[in-house]
Amino acid sequence: MQESTLVEFKRERRDTISTTLCAAKWFSCDVYLHTGVTSSCNYPSPHHIDLDAVKGNCLKIHNTDTKLDERESMLNGTQPSGCDNCWRIENTDTNVMSHRVYASKRHETNAFSQLSASDIIVPELISVVFDTYCNFKCVYCDPSQSSSWASDIKLHGNYNLKSDERETYNTDILDNVLRDVDYDSLYSSFVNMFVDNIHGIRKINILGGEPLMSPKIWKFLDSITQVDCKHITLGIVTNLSQLPLVKRIIAYETHFKHIQLSVSIDGTTRKSEFIRNGLNWDNFLECIDYIFKRSQIEIWLLGTINILSLDGLIDVLKWHEHIQQKYNRKVPYKISTCRWPSFQAITILPTYIRQYYIKQIQSWLDIHSTPLEDDLADEIMIEELKQLCVLLEHAPSSAKTYLYRQDFRYFVEEFATRNKLSINDTFSDVLCEWIKE
């Protein structure tokens, strides 16, 4: 492999600076414009952006006081509490690499030895959410991220969950969005941050909601393509549900170095349509076919592993192999675990069900344990599956586990009722029997 392997990179590049370093804290920026918060990846809880500070320096969108404090902790060899997802994995099994290894490797061309906690950094990788327009109600999503979920709550009322400390599934969550005047100001600062520092930016990811449905994404793309973006990769996280919007984004292909569509997949056929409520599996396949036959756009698959999607993981892995062979195109598949809502986390499953899924994954790994030569994406996928097994094997017990299980059963049954879906006709007997207990 021409690039250093993950193990070599961790040992020789990252850990020589600090064993708790994560380069994403410096070079990656996630921004949620509609709520005015930020983080450095999708695992920590986002924190508020100082709206007054960014008026004077737009780079304060990324370089917040919270991130500066966390950078200092990392350089000093301590573990910031906000990054507990990685610490939990690493502290359980030192042989398994957490997300921060991959997140740091993305930025390996930088001189880690020169990092300072107080530097005002131009982020190389930016991920942004403009708003929550979406035509799906994915089972692990909520009203703060999907307009369809918000409509459901308004129409049918709150989900009466006992463990939902964040009050995610009630109408109060809708009050967390910025006022129009604050949004417009932050949006302006964000565009300025991007355009003024464009030569230091390598990639921008646009998330939602369903970004392709939002008028704001097209306004933003038209703004930034007035300057030279040909060194930048444009990434969009999309549900690939509407072919006309797929055709529209293809038209921007000449403006960027690459376009990557990151496509969420949580099952195949019936399971996928249940978990990603609003999806038509055949339409989804039609969009993929159109992209591969009529463009050079890359497709990356994203799996968010919660209790229901875990039940269809092996089907996704098999389908993933199939489409790569069918189109003779590399399609990376990235896996992350669902931490919120907590009642959908795979760690609340009883031991016998976790062992059932571990056996399935291990059987797949027995055949596919060696990554393809010179294929870092394949190596990462295999490591992520190993992480998944470690998490299932060493699921932490909690005083709230019983409560989470109650809420999960209630939620799934209520979700199925509201959306006229069948649990028994969709998921494995093992899982269905446990849900009915």
Side-chain angles (χ1 to χ4, degrees), residues 31-37 128-138 141-151 154 173-178 183 206-217 237 239:
V31 186
Y32 304 82
L33 292 177
H34 63 304
T35 52
V37 297
V128 59
V129 176
F130 291 102
D131 55 39
T132 61
Y133 285 115
C134 191
N135 55 333
F136 281 15
K137 288 180 290 183
C138 297
C141 196
D142 61 70
S144 70
Q145 302 178 74
S146 164
S147 57
S148 290
W149 254 113
S151 297
K154 288 179 179 178
I173 198 74
L174 306 179
D175 297 329
N176 291 339
V177 297
L178 292 181
Y183 178 94
I206 302 178
L207 303 83
E210 168 48 46
L212 298 183
M213 288 183 61
S214 170
K216 293 186 175 73
I217 179 184
V237 178
N239 57 36

Side-chain angles (χ1 to χ4, degrees), residues 182-332:
D182 291 329
Y183 178 94
D184 291 343
S185 176
L186 185 57
Y187 173 84
S188 255
S189 296
F190 177 78
V191 173
N192 290 339
M193 181 181 78
F194 189 92
V195 173
D196 293 349
N197 300 283
I198 196 162
H199 296 296
I201 298 168
R202 292 192 290 113
K203 183 176 183 181
I204 180 162
N205 287 318
I206 302 178
L207 303 83
E210 168 48 46
L212 298 183
M213 288 183 61
S214 170
K216 293 186 175 73
I217 179 184
W218 306 108
K219 175 185 175 182
F220 175 71
L221 290 178
D222 288 341
S223 295
I224 65 171
T225 51
Q226 299 303 308
V227 295
D228 185 7
C229 293
K230 287 188 168 58
H231 66 289
I232 292 177
T233 296
L234 170 65
I236 300 176
V237 178
T238 174
N239 57 36
L240 277 194
S241 62
Q242 299 185 51
L243 188 56
L245 295 178
V246 169
K247 293 178 180 178
R248 188 175 179 184
I249 199 61
I250 288 175
Y252 284 84
E253 198 170 6
T254 58
H255 290 282
F256 296 92
K257 180 179 180 180
H258 302 294
I259 294 182
Q260 293 175 349
L261 298 184
S262 295
V263 182
S264 297
I265 182 165
D266 300 301
T268 60
T269 59
R270 194 165 195 149
K271 283 188 176 75
S272 186
E273 291 178 342
F274 186 109
I275 298 169
R276 302 186 61 72
N277 182 249
L279 173 71
N280 180 292
W281 180 254
D282 291 334
N283 290 349
F284 175 73
L285 295 182
E286 181 185 19
C287 288
I288 289 179
D289 186 73
Y290 189 92
I291 290 167
F292 280 152
K293 289 181 176 177
R294 293 170 174 81
S295 78
Q296 294 303 309
I297 287 177
E298 300 174 14
I299 290 180
W300 291 53
L301 299 178
L302 304 178
T304 302
I305 307 301
N306 54 63
I307 291 173
L308 296 182
S309 62
L310 182 62
D311 197 60
L313 176 59
I314 301 303
D315 292 335
V316 172
L317 289 168
K318 291 176 180 177
W319 178 80
H320 173 236
E321 283 187 292
H322 164 71
I323 60 164
Q324 291 189 111
Q325 293 169 0
K326 178 178 179 179
Y327 295 104
N328 194 27
R329 295 273 292 267
K330 180 62 189 173
V331 183

Side-chain angles (χ1 to χ4, degrees), residues 1-16 97 101 105 108 112 376 379:
M1 192 178 286
Q2 290 183 349
E3 291 182 287
S4 60
T5 65
L6 293 172
V7 173
E8 290 170 338
F9 168 78
K10 176 180 180 294
R11 182 182 64 248
E12 297 176 10
R13 287 291 316 282
R14 195 199 65 182
D15 288 357
T16 55
M97 282 170 284
V101 181
K105 187 167 174 60
E108 66 177 336
F112 292 173
L376 182 61
E379 182 182 356

Side-chain angles (χ1 to χ4, degrees), residues 80-110:
S81 59
C83 304
D84 65 303
N85 180 74
C86 286
W87 312 137
R88 186 175 69 249
I89 291 170
E90 294 175 23
N91 296 339
T92 300
D93 188 340
T94 56
N95 294 316
V96 175
M97 282 170 284
S98 67
H99 175 75
R100 73 186 180 100
V101 181
Y102 326 134
S104 295
K105 187 167 174 60
R106 294 184 192 130
H107 307 289
E108 66 177 336
T109 57
N110 293 279

Side-chain angles (χ1 to χ4, degrees), residues 391-410:
L391 189 60
L392 287 166
E393 185 70 48
H394 301 281
S397 59
S398 165
K400 291 186 175 181
T401 297
Y402 178 73
L403 189 60
Y404 289 149
R405 290 174 179 175
Q406 280 187 313
D407 274 355
F408 174 77
R409 292 182 175 109
Y410 158 74

